[in-house]
Amino acid sequence: MAAIASDVRDLALAEAGARRIAWSDHDMPVLRGIRERFAVERPLANVRIAACLHVTSETANLVRTLREGGAEVALCASNPLSTQDDVAAALVVEHGVTVCAIRGEDDDTYYRHINTVVDIRPQIAMDDGADVIGVLHATRRELLDAVIAGTEETTTGVIRLRAMEADGVLGFPVIAVNEAQTKHLFDNRYGTGQSTVDGIIRATNVLLAGRTFVVAGYGWCGRGLAERARGLGANVVVLEVDPLRALQAAMDGFRVSTMAEAAPIGDIFCTATGDKDVIRGEHFERMKDGAIVANTGHFNVEIDLQALRERATSSSEPRPFVEQFVLGNGRTINLLADGRLVNLSAAEGHPASVMDMSFANQALSVEYAVRNADTLEKRVYVVPPAIDEEIARLKLAAMGIEIDVLTDEQRRYLSSWTEGT
Ligand code: ADE
């Protein structure tokens, strides 16, 4: 088969990209350790991987790890706005990876790139949002049989894949990397929390202290965001449809409300629900002049952009990543990053030290899938707990943190039912 051609912005950016990749690598000790082992053991020798991930310096270090393990990798973007063009160039020039990703690519190019990457005839489909797995099942079904397994990075993707499993249409096993504790408890919470605030601040330079910050969704991402916004002095209002989560938000000390009530009092709104139409026309109409509206969920469906555009008499771009709409009522609304995930569009996504654990889970899940190819069924699997625990231990060790171990006596006590007071 002819080699697949890369499609990146400019190969001359490679040197800058290489510096950025090295900077991230410093904060990814767990992944680095796996890379060193992979270089010796080559557990992925000749395995073809089609990866659809945010093309960032952290992803580059994952791809380097897979390459050291012996894999052939073709990479495309999992979002049109998150690609770091210099990193894409460095992966092609310095690491021999096929990359099809250009920051700002239109939807047609985005899907063309996914289709090019699956031309590799993947044995592993690595996804962040289930787009590559979706394309394989929709229009490239002739490739399904060759796939040993998929891996899925994010909550939104796992929801889609579980729906496919429930409908009996999943064509190969998938490991839900997001479900690992060393993934969602850290990446979704601390990673999204910090990087979302980072994206909003880089785009607007707004002071959060004293502002009313409305967080829609109290999953791990919403929680992280609410905590960080509060830490910067914002008055945080949480919106949540699940009664248990809403109760947690209330007892975590947040004001819990509805979008209808929050719309006229919020200064900054950010969606983190994974669902569509969370902020709608009737909400825009009630918002204050100058309200800032952003999304940090995977897809750009959480803010009803059509409703916003329909209500606008004009729009302008006062700063990069800010589109300011003037509504018929005379008030302005500032939409960030076109409603796409603001942390990866206006900032650089989660910091390397948290992606270290997420991508260690990816690398070890791929190794696990390849080693267990014969026994896996067409189901959605969680990451084996032994992998999760190992990553936590390695991260603690890298952070220089020691923890106690149970004595034999304590271990016995924990597994018995006869001993009381
Ligand atoms: N998802 C969130 N942050 C990311 C990052 N820095 N790199 C890749 N994927 C991400």
Side-chain angles (χ1 to χ4, degrees):
M1 193 188 70
I4 302 166
S6 287
D7 187 18
V8 299
R9 167 89 54 206
D10 182 0
L11 292 178
L13 299 170
E15 224 180 286
R19 282 195 296 274
R20 202 163 174 171
I21 294 168
W23 176 264
S24 294
D25 190 42
H26 179 77
D27 251 354
M28 305 182 86
V30 177
L31 191 62
R32 200 161 55 243
I34 295 169
R35 187 155 68 238
E36 284 159 11
R37 176 171 68 76
F38 274 16
V40 176
E41 297 179 7
R42 306 284 283 176
L44 311 180
N46 304 317
V47 173
R48 296 183 303 276
I49 301 179
C52 181
L53 302 170
H54 299 292
V55 181
T56 65
S57 55
E58 293 78 23
T59 297
N61 285 313
L62 168 63
V63 171
R64 288 174 61 203
T65 305
L66 302 171
R67 295 273 296 155
E68 286 292 347
E72 189 188 337
V73 183
L75 173 68
C76 62
S78 59
N79 186 289
L81 271 190
S82 59
T83 298
Q84 296 169 357
D85 288 321
D86 52 356
V87 167
L91 277 171
V92 177
V93 172
E94 311 227 347
H95 300 288
V97 179
T98 303
V99 183
C100 297
I102 299 174
R103 187 181 184 88
E105 61 196 10
D106 60 23
D107 284 358
D108 286 348
T109 313
Y110 177 78
Y111 282 104
R112 179 166 54 77
H113 281 161
I114 294 180
N115 270 288
T116 307
V117 156
V118 298
D119 284 343
I120 195 174
R121 294 176 295 116
Q123 291 156 300
I124 297 288
M126 183 176 277
D127 238 332
D128 185 340
D131 276 346
V132 87
I133 297 178
V135 164
L136 285 168
H137 282 76
T139 53
R140 303 295 300 272
R141 297 190 63 82
E142 77 281 6
L143 299 172
L144 285 180
D145 281 349
V147 181
I148 296 170
T151 59
E152 173 51 55
E153 172 77 8
T154 199
T155 318
T156 297
V158 172
I159 291 169
R160 280 180 165 191
L161 293 163
R162 291 224 161 103
M164 289 171 77
E165 181 185 24
D167 283 351
V169 297
L170 193 61
F172 47 78
V174 178
I175 302 185
V177 168
N178 183 69
E179 305 308 275
Q181 301 199 59
T182 47
K183 198 283 183 181
H184 67 264
L185 292 181
F186 302 89
D187 168 313
N188 301 26
R189 188 187 200 171
Y190 305 112
T192 306
Q194 177 168 318
S195 63
T196 302
V197 168
D198 185 16
I200 292 171
I201 291 176
R202 286 199 210 191
T204 61
N205 197 24
V206 73
L207 182 76
L208 295 197
R211 297 288 168 89
T212 298
F213 193 115
V214 181
V215 177
Y218 204 65
W220 290 110
C221 294
R223 258 166 236 231
L225 175 57
E227 277 169 15
R228 291 301 175 252
R230 174 159 67 185
L232 284 169
N235 299 309
V236 178
V237 180
V238 170
L239 320 180
E240 172 56 62
V241 295
D242 177 310
L244 275 170
R245 287 183 174 178
L247 192 56
Q248 285 175 18
M251 295 216 181
D252 286 342
F254 294 108
R255 176 169 169 191
V256 176
S257 188
T258 61
M259 188 62 85
E261 274 187 17
I265 59 166
D267 297 299
I268 302 155
F269 297 80
C270 189
T271 52
T273 70
D275 207 347
K276 65 192 286 198
D277 297 341
V278 177
I279 306 184
R280 299 184 293 272
E282 68 265 28
H283 305 131
F284 294 124
E285 282 169 12
R286 303 194 64 203
M287 284 181 188
K288 286 192 211 173
D289 184 40
I292 292 169
V293 177
N295 164 53
T296 197
H298 186 80
F299 288 115
N300 60 338
V301 295
E302 306 208 13
I303 301 167
D304 185 348
L305 298 177
Q306 196 185 334
L308 180 56
R309 296 210 157 91
E310 279 168 9
R311 282 163 178 75
T313 53
S314 66
S315 75
S316 60
E317 193 186 326
R319 296 168 59 96
F321 302 111
V322 182
E323 191 174 2
Q324 187 169 77
F325 293 89
V326 180
L327 302 195
N329 61 17
R331 295 198 280 261
T332 58
I333 306 255
N334 295 301
L335 172 71
L336 305 193
D338 212 15
R340 295 198 186 271
L341 20 73
V342 70
N343 60 337
L344 277 140
S345 305
E348 293 170 70
H350 305 354
S353 79
V354 83
M355 293 313 293
D356 189 25
M357 289 190 282
S358 310
F359 285 164
N361 274 293
Q362 283 282 5
L364 295 183
S365 293
V366 171
E367 181 186 30
Y368 175 84
V370 170
R371 288 200 200 281
N372 295 280
D374 294 343
T375 55
L376 295 177
E377 294 165 15
K378 294 175 183 175
R379 286 177 29 211
V380 177
Y381 288 87
V382 296
V383 174
I387 290 181
D388 220 351
E389 198 173 306
E390 173 70 1
I391 291 172
R393 284 190 190 289
L394 291 170
K395 191 68 176 175
L396 283 168
M399 293 168 80
I401 297 171
E402 272 187 61
I403 58 173
D404 282 320
V405 286
L406 295 174
T407 63
D408 289 344
E409 187 67 12
Q410 286 176 311
R411 205 181 295 280
R412 256 195 307 278
Y413 177 80
L414 287 177
S415 59
S416 76
W417 55 273
T418 51
E419 226 179 301
T421 309

